[in-house]
Amino acid sequence: MNAVPILSLADVCFAYNAQTQVLRGVSLDILPGTITAILGPNGAGKTTLLRLILGLLKPQRGTIHLNGRPQHTFSRRETSRWIGLVPQSEYIPFDFSVLEFVLLGRAPYLGPLDMPREQDRAIALEALRTLGLEHLRERAMPSLSGGERQLAMMARVLAQQPRLLLLDEPTAHLDLSNRDRILNVLRAQARAGVTVMFTTHDPNLAATLADYVILMRQGALLAAGTLEATLTAENLAATYGIPVRVMRVDGQLFVMS
């Protein structure tokens, strides 16, 4: 594996106002082709961290580098070719069909007035097939269930073909079948060299999917490292403020409160 980080944060601090320090001195390196889970309670700063990485927010202190280059030097188009985000939810103001919505992922590769090409359409259709949504391609986005919308947002980011994939609570609205589909897609992305980072409240999701774990509380990193070294009862108890047990069941780490 290439040892050069695809993403580096050094002493990153962020506050929405003078009274609310959301991130405090966050430093971390993320290696390419890995899957990293960001765990922590509500208000830990997980979503804010993703927004900083994406460049939607600017740190008040510290630096963020993408593939060794200062993040603030990337144009919006360059950033969109490097980083894709699947949010928890998204307001969709127009009655896009599912295919039209997924084609929005191709925008970083098109000029301002360009229409999607046949190649773009083929990439979007493949993303829909991967997520099991091809049969819904002509359906209007507002008519979809919450789980189907979540899968459509995942298909859009696959069509975007980013090198760093950020997901905010990626399985929150999914049933067990579609949850399993998303996990398999993320594993396949990592095998193909895409770097995956996702936030979650669920330590067992991290144990199922992640190579590395970041534990956050009140805007600070409590621990970061490999899954085995970081997902411990002591670390999780400090993160969530409750007693936690970590055991191994059929070779898989399992967390119980």
Side-chain angles (χ1 to χ4, degrees):
M1 179 183 293
N2 185 353
V4 177
I6 189 173
L7 178 70
S8 294
L9 282 74
D11 195 29
V12 169
C13 297
F14 180 80
Y16 289 104
N17 54 60
Q19 290 74 40
T20 309
Q21 190 76 19
V22 181
L23 291 179
R24 299 182 286 120
V26 172
S27 297
L28 57 90
D29 289 330
I30 303 295
L31 296 178
T34 58
I35 302 178
T36 299
I38 307 169
L39 275 166
N42 291 332
K46 303 186 299 298
T47 300
T48 298
L49 178 61
L50 295 188
R51 292 173 67 82
L52 282 159
I53 293 169
L54 194 59
L56 299 177
L57 301 173
K58 303 298 181 186
Q60 272 99 34
R61 193 180 77 200
T63 59
I64 300 174
H65 283 74
L66 186 60
N67 202 40
R69 176 178 157 190
Q71 181 232 44
H72 66 82
T73 66
F74 283 75
S75 68
R76 175 50 56 193
R77 179 179 292 271
E78 286 179 299
T79 299
S80 296
R81 290 185 178 189
W82 271 92
I83 307 176
L85 172 68
V86 181
Q88 285 191 51
S89 61
E90 180 176 331
Y91 172 63
I92 302 168
F94 305 110
D95 282 348
F96 290 115
S97 72
V98 172
L99 177 57
E100 289 169 337
F101 179 76
V102 174
L103 277 168
L104 294 176
R106 300 303 299 162
Y109 306 95
L110 300 172
L113 299 178
D114 290 346
M115 296 295 291
R117 302 155 296 185
E118 199 57 42
Q119 175 190 3
D120 301 308
R121 184 179 174 85
I123 291 170
L125 287 171
E126 179 59 30
L128 287 173
R129 281 191 289 271
T130 299
L131 274 301
L133 294 177
E134 190 179 19
H135 65 293
L136 298 178
R137 62 184 182 180
E138 301 303 328
R139 281 270 300 275
M141 284 294 297
S143 73
L144 300 185
S145 68
E148 289 167 341
R149 287 164 67 98
Q150 190 78 6
L151 292 175
M153 288 192 289
M154 185 72 192
R156 181 184 60 183
V157 86
L158 291 187
Q160 189 177 333
Q161 298 180 317
R163 303 185 204 184
L164 174 59
L165 177 53
L166 309 178
L167 305 102
D168 198 3
E169 297 284 350
T171 62
H173 306 291
L174 301 179
D175 59 27
L176 289 178
S177 174
N178 283 324
R179 177 183 183 275
D180 192 57
R181 185 189 297 273
I182 286 287
L183 298 189
N184 287 333
V185 167
L186 294 178
R187 292 186 186 106
Q189 288 290 298
R191 288 195 297 270
V194 176
T195 307
V196 177
M197 297 180 70
F198 67 96
T199 70
T200 182
H201 292 93
D202 183 3
N204 288 307
L205 177 61
T208 298
L209 183 61
D211 306 306
Y212 296 91
V213 174
I214 296 167
L215 298 178
M216 297 183 66
R217 185 175 178 85
Q218 295 179 341
L221 261 61
L222 295 188
T226 63
L227 176 69
E228 295 278 348
T230 308
L231 206 67
T232 66
E234 181 181 7
N235 285 342
L236 289 170
T239 300
Y240 291 100
I242 58 172
V244 174
R245 287 189 295 160
V246 178
M247 61 192 74
R248 190 173 290 278
V249 179
D250 296 330
Q252 174 75 43
L253 288 180
F254 187 75
V255 178
M256 294 183 64
S257 60

